[in-house]
Amino acid sequence: MVKHQPLQVYERQLCLSCITGIYGCRWKRYQRSHDDTTKWELLWSLILLLTFCLLLVWFYFWWEAHNDYNEFNWFLYNRSGEWSDGTVPILATTAAGFTYIAFLMVLALCHIALGQQLNLHWLHKIGVTAALLTTIVGVISVNQTWGQEWDVIPISLQATGPFLHIGALAAITALSWIVAGQVARAEKTLFQVVVVLLYLSVLLGLYVVPLYITSPCIMDPDTLKPRPDVIGHQGAPMLAPENTLWSFQRALQMNVTGLEADVAISVDGVPFLMHDLTLRRTTDVGKVFPDRQMDEASRFNWTDLQQLNAGQWFLKDDPFWTVHTLASREIELIANQSVCSLEQLLKLASYHNTTVVFRLRRPSPEHPCYHSWINDTLQAVQQSGVSQSLVMWTSDEHRAQVRQLAPGLIQTSVEKRSPQSLQKDGISRLLLRYNQASTREIRDFSETHINLTLYTVNEPWLYSVLWCSGVSSVSSEAPHILRKVPYPIWLMSPSEYCLMWVSADLISFAVVIGIFIFQKYRTSGMRSYNPEQIMLSAAVRRSSPDINVMKEKLIFSGQPQ
């Protein structure tokens, strides 16, 4: 007996094989399925989505925290005692993890769009778990050691919020293709209703998000205040060793209006510039005085301090990755820098008629100058010949005594207080970290004629936001970068932003409606199609002579002998 069967002709599905193979190691046709995804795999899909969202926030945090990388490295140095750029491994692992999880998310969406069953391979499950746990540990660690830096997220959203909204709107609009396809192919009405309602709720939520987006850069350009002054924080520490004479000279070359430094008192009563408690990081004390390298900097006399080199560490550690940009003459000058005294800094500021703000650190009770530290510092101010109107005094201790001895000094506070309290105490300037003053508070200080300086501002986007907020001056480690910002990065009037917002919403809505109509029309009148089913009809339409010859095959079976 002869049985006739139609020849089975399969279309190649190379793209589909790659998608299911990479995601779930289902490379073969028979391994794939159009059945509903199991509850276990749905749970893993939710875990994948959660990991993606968490990594997205983590990645955004470190991207915007670039302004404070040096601060983070300094925190690490205080804990470990060794200087290194701890942001490099964090950025590398974050970028790798986010790329990996985002790739899996794209593959999962492709599975849904093609009607394939989700089945994440066990190796990917291990990878997703590792990425999730690592990110959670990172978040907890940052929260414990650098918790104040989380404020960079809401501050940065004032600069990026309007544009992130457009990006999110574009992504959700594009997702409508998959949602509309699922709804059109679904047979259960309840499933269709639930999916459409969930999608529309997210979409409508995005449409009204701009109502809650606030940015000082959304303002009438005619009301923009003058460009904030830039103060060189420790000079120009990205171009020269911090708190050295050459660093301040480099800052002056960048047209700064002021210089900021950290001041300690030597054993013999000489105020000198030093940020750390010890000399290990920024001098060669381990080479010159190996037995005293762990001693506090204020335990050295001025003669000993002058023997130390304060520039070679910068060339060796390259804390800002800028040494390769320096000319040979600059490298030679840096290699010969020594510890700078307060008097030297004040003489430089007097020559250039530049404001100086310094943070004075009181020595320990066992120090010989514990009681005379104020007088020692004021004596250095007087000996330098600088005008008192150029010196900002920040120490709150013995402020009344300072007013009597040097009434011309600019009284400055580093503690956040109300404008009324500052005016009551005769304080005309306030020095705060940039996350300690909101836009409303900045304007309140401006209205009460309190000159507010915010530190440390290194990134153009942050400088632009503070400029639009009305801050009068900023302290920066990167005056050479802010010098290139003659105008806020972006500035638009409320009417322009409203037009952009409404236009984006209308375009998105029109595209979504069009996609749903197209998907409904595309599937109406068509039988359910399985891309992996036998494609005999497609083969019949082909004009290939080989297919015409091989239309059917003979199978001989069950013949009696």
Side-chain angles (χ1 to χ4, degrees), residues 281-466:
R281 182 174 67 90
T282 57
T283 70
D284 60 346
V285 66
K287 177 180 178 181
V288 181
F289 303 107
D291 297 334
R292 304 175 60 190
Q293 58 179 323
M294 300 304 297
D295 292 353
E296 290 188 7
S298 58
R299 290 294 180 181
F300 290 77
N301 59 46
W302 180 238
T303 302
D304 292 340
L305 291 171
Q306 287 182 302
Q307 299 180 42
L308 301 176
N309 184 289
Q312 292 178 351
W313 73 272
F314 181 84
L315 301 175
K316 176 185 176 183
D317 294 341
D318 196 7
F320 294 97
W321 303 79
T322 54
V323 171
H324 69 281
T325 65
L326 303 177
S328 56
R329 176 181 172 274
E330 290 182 282
I331 293 177
E332 183 179 352
L333 285 170
I334 288 173
N336 294 312
Q337 290 299 300
S338 59
V339 177
C340 182
S341 68
L342 175 61
E343 185 176 345
Q344 290 174 314
L345 171 61
L346 294 175
K347 286 181 178 180
L348 179 66
S350 178
Y351 179 80
H352 291 275
N353 195 34
T354 302
T355 302
V356 174
V357 52
F358 55 86
R359 297 168 178 266
L360 183 60
R361 185 167 61 243
R362 186 173 189 176
S364 59
E366 301 82 16
H367 196 279
C369 301
Y370 177 73
H371 297 288
S372 63
W373 64 300
I374 295 291
N375 291 330
D376 293 335
T377 305
L378 291 177
Q379 183 179 357
V381 173
Q382 295 171 353
Q383 290 177 349
S384 68
V386 67
S387 172
Q388 292 185 6
S389 61
L390 294 177
V391 180
M392 296 170 61
W393 184 271
T394 60
S395 178
D396 287 328
E397 296 185 70
H398 308 291
R399 195 179 287 274
Q401 175 188 351
V402 173
R403 280 201 182 95
Q404 292 179 353
L405 298 176
L409 296 180
I410 303 173
Q411 296 299 321
T412 306
S413 177
V414 294
E415 179 184 352
K416 185 177 181 180
R417 296 158 59 183
S418 66
Q420 295 75 19
S421 175
L422 294 172
Q423 289 178 331
K424 181 180 179 181
D425 293 340
I427 297 175
S428 59
R429 294 206 177 191
L430 186 61
L431 181 64
L432 299 175
R433 194 176 188 271
Y434 69 84
N435 66 325
Q436 292 182 289
S438 65
T439 301
R440 179 69 262 175
E441 290 171 330
I442 290 174
R443 291 172 180 169
D444 290 343
F445 285 121
S446 178
E447 292 172 357
T448 53
H449 305 289
I450 299 295
N451 193 311
L452 177 63
T453 300
L454 298 179
Y455 67 90
T456 306
V457 180
N458 300 327
E459 292 295 308
W461 70 263
L462 180 57
Y463 183 67
S464 299
V465 168
L466 297 178

Side-chain angles (χ1 to χ4, degrees), residues 462-474:
L462 180 57
Y463 183 67
S464 299
V465 168
L466 297 178
W467 184 348
C468 296
S469 299
V471 73
S472 56
S473 59
V474 300

Side-chain angles (χ1 to χ4, degrees), residues 18-31:
C18 290
I19 292 173
T20 57
I22 296 174
Y23 187 83
C25 201
R26 293 185 171 187
W27 299 96
K28 302 298 183 181
R29 187 185 305 269
Y30 68 86
Q31 294 176 319

